[in-house]
Amino acid sequence: MSVTSRYKDAWEGFWREAPHEPGAVFWDAEPALTVGLHLSLLEPYMTEPALPVVDLGCGNGTQTLFLADRFPRVAGVDLAAAAIEHAEHHDPAGRIRFQQLDASDEPAVRRLHAELGDAQVYMRGVLHQCEPADRQPVAEAVARLVGERGRAFVVEPSEAAREVLMGLVQGPDGPPPKMRPVFAHGIAPLGMRDAEAAGHFRAAGLAVLASGELPLMTTEYGRDGTRIELPSKWLVVGRSE
């Protein structure tokens, strides 16, 4: 996410052209392989499971819909209005509150917290896509949304994931089909060191309550037919107990 118009336009263009079909986007893996696994790591640290849940950087809402099956009040926010249109398309019953929001926009984040109160936050693969100057404001947005009672689960591709992706890009066939739109729209991935995320959240006043490593599933397959997995680092963050 970013306040820069170039970055926002890149995401708007990507989502305007993205198919609506499930799994058509590189990172749009099935919830059972993504948020379902992540919830099992977050839930032991939730002190108030009934709090609202915010999917920060919700994209087309695949993971948000899974969350809505398990929590009574769920919101999905994304920088791109086109992503929100996709998400609303997948939620015809209107169970989820989706809205366009730039997480580096402090007043907008304050308004969302005022409406929801303290919340649990789920954020997958957002920080490494941010412009470097916007990473700390996004971490502060998470701190604002969790408040005193919530917890956040944050997962990012690790530095080792860059080697995996570069190997795919430089292969004889070039980037896999689902990666090509990402590069075509100028969305540059994986520019963050492994320790950076924890540092941003600590600077925002949150403690790292748990951390670990886990493969991050994609919807793309290699030439040998195996699913492409990216090494990732995850954190559970919240106020110190």
Side-chain angles (χ1 to χ4, degrees):
M1 294 186 175
S2 171
V3 295
T4 64
S5 60
R6 182 205 63 79
Y7 197 64
K8 182 176 180 180
D9 289 347
W11 279 108
E12 290 287 2
F14 174 86
W15 282 113
R16 277 197 301 269
E17 295 181 10
H20 280 289
E21 292 77 13
V25 172
F26 181 69
W27 53 79
D28 192 29
E30 305 94 311
L33 302 177
T34 49
V35 67
L37 296 177
H38 299 152
L39 276 181
S40 68
L41 298 168
L42 172 63
E43 286 176 330
Y45 294 91
M46 288 183 178
T47 56
E48 297 190 40
L51 292 179
V53 176
V54 177
D55 186 359
L56 185 58
C58 67
N60 62 1
T62 297
Q63 315 306 319
T64 329
L65 289 165
F66 184 94
L67 290 167
D69 288 336
R70 286 152 182 78
F71 297 94
R73 191 178 181 195
V74 176
V77 300
D78 199 276
L79 173 67
I84 297 302
E85 291 175 7
H86 275 266
E88 291 176 338
H89 173 83
H90 294 136
D91 181 34
R95 294 185 300 151
I96 300 165
R97 177 195 170 178
F98 288 108
Q99 73 172 91
Q100 188 275 330
L101 181 141
D102 182 342
S104 65
D105 181 347
E106 182 182 2
V109 173
R110 286 182 177 272
R111 288 192 295 270
L112 181 61
H113 180 258
E115 294 168 12
L116 296 177
D118 289 357
Q120 324 287 2
V121 174
Y122 177 66
M123 190 168 77
R124 179 176 66 114
V126 171
L127 277 182
H128 82 280
Q129 291 282 5
C130 290
E131 300 284 359
D134 291 321
R135 289 173 186 161
Q136 187 59 42
V138 170
E140 290 168 2
V142 172
R144 170 66 60 182
L145 292 172
V146 301
E148 297 299 323
R149 300 178 295 153
R151 298 287 187 261
F153 185 89
V154 179
V155 59
E156 297 288 337
S158 68
E159 291 180 61
R162 184 176 184 85
E163 296 181 13
V164 176
L165 288 181
M166 290 303 100
L168 295 170
V169 171
Q170 296 167 5
D173 300 324
K178 293 178 185 178
M179 284 184 65
R180 292 171 191 166
V182 178
F183 291 104
H185 287 281
I187 300 169
L190 305 177
M192 189 172 74
R193 295 188 178 277
D194 289 343
E196 188 175 334
H200 285 307
F201 289 110
R202 290 189 179 105
L206 298 180
V208 176
L209 306 176
S211 62
E213 300 180 5
L214 192 70
L216 196 59
M217 298 297 183
T218 76
T219 62
E220 191 60 276
Y221 293 80
R223 299 180 72 188
D224 62 356
T226 59
R227 187 190 290 259
I228 295 171
E229 303 177 4
L230 302 179
S232 76
K233 303 280 189 179
W234 60 266
L235 305 171
V236 175
V237 297
R239 304 296 173 188
S240 299
E241 296 178 333

